[in-house]
Amino acid sequence: MSIVHARIDYRLIHGQVITKWLKRSDANKIIVIDDPLSRDPFLAEVYKMAAPSGVENTPGRKIVFNQISLNHEDADKLQIIEDKNIKVYFQTIPEEDPASLQKIKNKLP
């Protein structure tokens, strides 16, 4: 099995993944990695139905790209990923131009 697309999103599975990214990446499987979800069989079944969810902006976070919010802790974690030569970029739908992590980090206060 090869990984064709990886996405970090607190919403886990939602409409954009189902309608846009699966088609664009030609993926044949979605794998959700989430510790609390793995311990809750009922909720796991709910996520298998791929119900869309809304956008949330919590205190301490700033909207940095469309409806994507970020704080410095998140940015630091993403930098660790990028430092391992894994391309990190922000792109909510395939039709948008992606923004680099550095460009996004420059938007944080």
Side-chain angles (χ1 to χ4, degrees):
M1 173 175 70
S2 63
I3 297 173
V4 294
H5 183 78
R7 182 179 175 95
I8 299 172
D9 193 326
Y10 73 92
R11 297 170 294 173
L12 305 180
I13 297 176
H14 58 88
Q16 289 175 357
V17 170
I18 301 305
T19 62
K20 303 268 186 184
W21 288 109
L22 280 179
K23 184 177 180 180
R24 172 63 66 97
S25 65
D26 200 27
N28 59 15
K29 183 184 284 190
I30 297 174
I31 299 172
V32 174
I33 300 171
D34 183 72
D35 290 337
L37 185 61
S38 71
R39 293 185 292 271
D40 188 334
F42 173 74
L43 195 54
E45 286 301 314
V46 171
Y47 270 91
K48 287 179 184 175
M49 292 185 261
S53 60
V55 175
E56 178 180 324
N57 191 26
T58 55
R61 300 178 72 81
K62 180 179 181 194
I63 300 285
V64 293
F65 186 84
N66 292 336
Q67 294 302 313
I68 299 173
S69 65
L70 200 66
N71 61 24
H72 286 282
E73 182 182 353
D74 293 336
D76 292 344
K77 290 175 183 176
L78 291 172
Q79 187 62 58
I80 290 168
I81 293 170
E82 190 165 80
D83 289 346
K84 295 178 187 241
N85 293 321
I86 298 170
K87 184 178 178 185
V88 174
Y89 59 92
F90 292 72
Q91 184 179 21
T92 53
I93 58 174
E95 295 82 9
E96 288 177 336
D97 289 332
S100 69
L101 176 59
Q102 189 57 49
K103 182 177 179 180
I104 296 300
K105 285 172 59 175
N106 289 339
K107 295 181 179 185
L108 291 174

